[in-house]
Amino acid sequence: MARFIFITGGVVSSLGKGLASAALGSLLQARGFSVRLRKLDPYLNVDPGTMSPFEHGEVFVTDDGAETDLDLGHYERFTGVPARKTDSISSGRIYTNVLNKERRGDYLGKTIQVIPHVTNEIKDFIAIGEDEVDFMLCEIGGTVGDIEGLPFFEAIRQFSHDRPRGQCIYMHLTLLPYLAASGELKTKPTQHSVKEMQSIGLAPDILVCRSEHPIPEKEREKIALFCNVRKESVVAAYDLKSIYEAPLAYHNQGLDQAVLDAFDINPAPKPDLRVWEDVADRIHNTDGEVNVAIVGKYTQLEDAYKSFKEALTHGGMANRVRVNVSWVDAEVFDSEDAAPYLEGYHAILVPGGFGERGTEGKIRAAQYARENKIPYFGICLGMQMAVIEAARNVAGVSAAGSEEFDHESSGKKRFEPVVYHLKEWVQGNAKVNRKADDNKGGTMRLGSYDATLTAGSKVAEIYGSTAIEERHRHRYEVDTAYKEQLEGLGLKFSGMSPNGKLPEIVEWEDHPWFIGVQFHPELKSKPFDPHPLFKDFVRAAKENSRLV
Ligand code: GLN
């Protein structure tokens, strides 16, 4: 039976609750416990799948095909535990479930209310799979006091009430602002935030206080006294150079010990932190740097490409180089030569994306990389752009394009669909169908699929295998109609779906490193286990920078 840790935030948002949860998960693992992390989001969207990356950052896809919050990416990167559909839920989904049950008559005509129907739905969700792990860490999105969050806070209050004493604890993240004028850290916002929690029946066991300055002993005592937590349970969270220092930093501040104390786990198993010590060593002891351009569309909000940046960092750690990522807006060179914008980068990555905007620029970036033998990594849309580039500029199919950009409703066809809209495919042993009028959410090829790699190809060598599994999230596919022609010209389709119908990977021969993949390898990379493609891509960038 799992112990539950509920993680909430107060004072301001963006304090790094997700990171603190993930780091705590990894510390509990280091002490030999099994963990699962879960995110409960109060917003009303049914899932983040249809939310704009500009608004909400990237959509993180799980093996079982859920489109989830990017915090699940942190959870996986820190614990290595693959997230599942049942690890992310929003108010929208909770209400949908409740209303569906009501329509089906499951509530036998009762009046449906937030308490107990919505809160029960939340509690049921929290408990899913509790027998599988030692600790279940549940993070509540937003901050205490948000109207939307109330049913979640009420549910976690009831949850602990329903359970035997000592099975649940609450960890609350707050901010200690620094007043430069008086040179003081202020504890009042934290006190207010805890009061807010207490007013809804919750009392934090652990307080994690974000602070830009060391917390003096006196202030720590004050927080403990006013907020009714033990002094050792007031844990400081200082700014870090890298997020991957968080597990060691939290350990040094006593977070995992405070958690074990709160559960009365005595004696506490000793932690084995070697993995994180090695990670920290790789961050601090680098031998040079490489400059990588991410040529995309959502360049104003870095969170939109969170996992790409992290996977590149992991690749850098594997090669002991610092990876400097520049965000290059593809739209700028939609109708001009890309060279002046891309010169000087040691490698180019074109990430996933939706819609036509900026795609001409991405095609030009692929052309620049192919012609100048610059390492190119095309991911999902980035692979599709590389194939369109090859079709246009090498195979002479000048109108080559994607069906995604020819709006079915406009009736006009501007492009030769080298990339087409897939309506039926196979997952495992089952056929999946998509109708034109399906809802926007969840109509993609989503989740983990197998691919078969050509023996002797560059990718087979990089993976060290010819059978792989990777995560997908897209509607369109490269058409095999052009496979033979393009392969004859040197663009090898070196990875295919097991039935040979869907291209999964392309690579240019006679190029130091030009690989396009239809899936999202960045989602599976970890600091202690970098994805092989990212590891090798950064190696190629390093070679290109003539460091080796
Ligand atoms: N828009 C493209 C498709 O749906 C690519 C998606 C992506 O890059 N994730 O196929």
Side-chain angles (χ1 to χ4, degrees), residues 308 350-356 359 362 379-385 402 404-405 419-421 434 444-445 472-478 517-520 522:
F308 292 101
V350 176
F354 292 84
E356 187 173 6
T359 49
K362 291 176 187 174
I379 294 175
C380 209
L381 186 71
M383 162 180 170
Q384 297 173 356
M385 296 301 106
S402 168
E404 182 171 8
F405 316 140
V419 176
Y420 70 104
H421 195 180
R434 173 167 45 209
M444 285 185 265
R445 188 146 84 92
H472 288 247
R473 180 174 184 252
H474 54 105
R475 294 192 173 83
Y476 298 85
E477 303 281 344
V478 169
V517 297
Q518 188 57 74
F519 45 81
H520 287 278
E522 74 280 8

Side-chain angles (χ1 to χ4, degrees), residues 13-14 17-18 39-61 66-75 77 87-92 139-143 146 148 298-307 473:
S13 58
S14 306
K17 248 188 310 163
K39 178 87 194 271
L40 289 78
D41 270 310
Y43 52 71
L44 283 170
N45 304 63
V46 172
D47 64 41
T50 47
M51 285 164 99
S52 162
F54 287 119
E55 290 246 342
H56 199 70
E58 105 184 336
V59 173
F60 190 82
V61 181
E67 298 178 282
T68 69
D69 188 88
L70 52 74
D71 273 324
L72 271 77
H74 279 317
Y75 302 166
R77 282 188 283 272
D87 293 329
S88 162
I89 203 152
S90 63
S91 290
E139 177 190 348
I140 319 290
T143 46
D146 296 347
E148 291 164 337
Y298 314 108
T299 50
Q300 305 96 313
L301 181 68
E302 289 192 14
D303 268 359
Y305 296 121
K306 185 91 201 145
S307 295
R473 180 174 184 252

